[in-house]
Amino acid sequence: MPGILLIIAVNMVCAMQPSPHLNSSNNIDSILEKIELIPLMITGEKDNRINIVIMNRWTSDELAPYNTEGMRGEFVKDINESIIAALTPGDERAQTAYAKYREFFNVYGLWYPETPEWDKGINGKIVDAIRDSLFLPWANEHTGWVTFLVMPNLDKGGGGASRNLEARVGRALIAGKGIGKMLHEIAHTCMSIGDEYTAGATGTSANPTYNNAMVYKRDEIKWRKWIDADTPLPTPYQAKYRDKIGAFEGTQYHLTDYYRSTAQGCIMGAGVFDNTEKMCPICEQRVAMRVNKLVNPINSFTPTKTTINIEGKTKLHFEIDHIKPIPNTQVVRWVLNGKTVATNVDKIDIELGEIAEYNLKCSLIDQTPFIRPDPPYGKYPTREINWKILNASPSSKATNLAVKVQSSYHESKQAGPYSLSPIPVSYTHLDAADEEDSVDL
């Protein structure tokens, strides 16, 4: 299993009982010796993926609790039929934004066959300690996330979640195995999306979130690019606006002076709080941006050294390998000394050497329709690799050079690899006097 230890169950030393030492390191070590981390959908290293871990729990009101070895198969089946189905493009249970970025997620089951009844020997702090022992520290400063979902064998909805954005960890206690409720709590953690309903904690302090606003003026709302010009703000709860994006009063546990983007139909609780598996466009936009922030879609690049020294004319090979959404909406752009020389190819061969210095940039931009660019609220996720090529034996002494691209290049937005072989890139350096049919560098 890539990047993480698989721990197989052995006999537990002593019974778990509430005590002042419930969260001691010795107690956590004894649990780690007992649990089994089951890789169910692994797409890459944990340190560059959003890791979702479903852990079994039980209470005395369950008919078939996940608390004996014989329930392991049922537990794994329930994970496959819930969160993994939601992440599978083409499955009727798929949730569009999550399924599009399936390759950015890992899913595990965490099986603790003799786990004590919840709050009678195990609690949220112990779950956090197990999570941190298995997944932290991260190998990279900005990528990687893990959320533990603690799930009983029930069909109920509801739950609660906590997160630490700096540590890139989350934990959610869910009341059942419904897909909508799982995604709802996951969205609270790694996606940092707020609730959109008014029930429960009505009257608590109000704070703006990505999908909730304390203003309704068009130019001040984070999702303004999604609002039709003829949609009134604030937006009335009328049939003609039922499926519109607007500013609907009542959200995040408040009945007044707090606005959400849709009237109903989002898994974050807008208007309904059933087991819907749909997300509103504003939450989908947030998912698309957060996924690309927590996971670097560039797996690797060649050459691995970003400063390259050459002697005169030299042909070099450049290549990137990247994680692709489904369908693929990424655009690859190669720019040499400020001029685009190829797009939507992962490999290029290029001959360099006439001038003293070249700068080659490869940009990977996800131009997904889930995002309507409107910085800082909506931005296409972009990653770049920059190479500097230093030539010790340039053949041209000109100080004002121009470049003319001589070869055509492949351009396509179809899903999957764009090219099976490198695209040869050729160009000609021209003196400034020949600007008539050239472009300046």
Side-chain angles (χ1 to χ4, degrees), residues 36 91 158 202 231 287:
E36 179 188 3
D91 192 297
T202 300
T231 299
V287 168

Side-chain angles (χ1 to χ4, degrees), residues 208-210 212-225 227 233 247 374 377:
T209 66
Y210 188 85
N212 295 302
M214 300 178 69
V215 296
Y216 58 82
K217 292 182 179 179
R218 190 176 299 269
D219 290 342
E220 298 179 16
I221 296 178
K222 297 182 180 73
W223 55 87
R224 59 195 178 189
K225 284 289 186 178
I227 303 173
L233 303 177
D374 183 25
Y377 309 125

Side-chain angles (χ1 to χ4, degrees), residues 286-422:
R286 177 65 168 177
V287 168
M289 291 193 298
R290 283 289 292 174
V291 162
N292 279 279
K293 182 175 182 179
L294 295 171
V295 178
N296 184 351
I298 300 179
N299 278 321
S300 61
F301 55 90
T302 302
T304 55
K305 291 183 177 180
T306 54
T307 299
I308 303 168
N309 293 293
I310 63 173
E311 291 276 350
K313 284 193 175 182
T314 305
K315 180 178 285 189
L316 296 177
H317 176 82
F318 296 88
E319 181 176 345
I320 65 164
D321 174 63
H322 51 108
I323 311 166
K324 299 177 179 67
I326 308 168
N328 187 12
T329 49
Q330 293 169 339
V331 173
V332 182
R333 183 170 292 120
W334 298 87
V335 177
L336 179 66
N337 285 12
K339 302 301 176 183
T340 300
V341 294
T343 60
N344 288 338
V345 292
D346 296 343
K347 309 172 185 179
I348 64 169
D349 288 331
I350 185 166
E351 187 172 282
L352 304 167
E354 291 192 34
I355 60 175
E357 182 176 323
Y358 296 87
N359 292 282
L360 179 66
K361 177 173 67 177
C362 180
S363 300
L364 182 69
I365 309 159
D366 188 358
Q367 295 186 355
T368 171
F370 286 136
I371 297 174
R372 293 188 180 180
D374 183 25
Y377 309 125
K379 295 186 290 185
Y380 284 144
T382 302
R383 298 277 182 165
E384 294 180 350
I385 303 295
N386 291 277
W387 290 272
K388 177 181 285 188
I389 301 97
L390 302 175
N391 179 19
S393 301
S395 59
S396 173
K397 297 181 180 180
T399 56
N400 184 16
L401 297 179
V403 64
K404 181 187 291 183
V405 179
Q406 293 181 326
S407 65
S408 61
Y409 49 85
H410 179 63
E411 187 167 0
S412 171
K413 291 189 177 180
Q414 296 177 354
Y418 295 105
S419 174
L420 297 178
S421 59

Side-chain angles (χ1 to χ4, degrees), residues 9 11 35 82 126 135 161 228 254 278 338 351:
N11 289 332
I35 61 177
S82 54
I126 292 178
F135 284 83
D228 292 339
H254 290 259
K278 294 182 179 180
E351 187 172 282

Side-chain angles (χ1 to χ4, degrees), residues 256-278:
T256 60
D257 301 322
Y258 210 1
Y259 305 89
R260 66 180 184 239
S261 61
T262 57
Q264 65 175 16
C266 179
I267 65 170
M268 301 316 296
V272 294
F273 204 63
D274 58 13
N275 209 31
T276 180
E277 288 129 34
K278 294 182 179 180

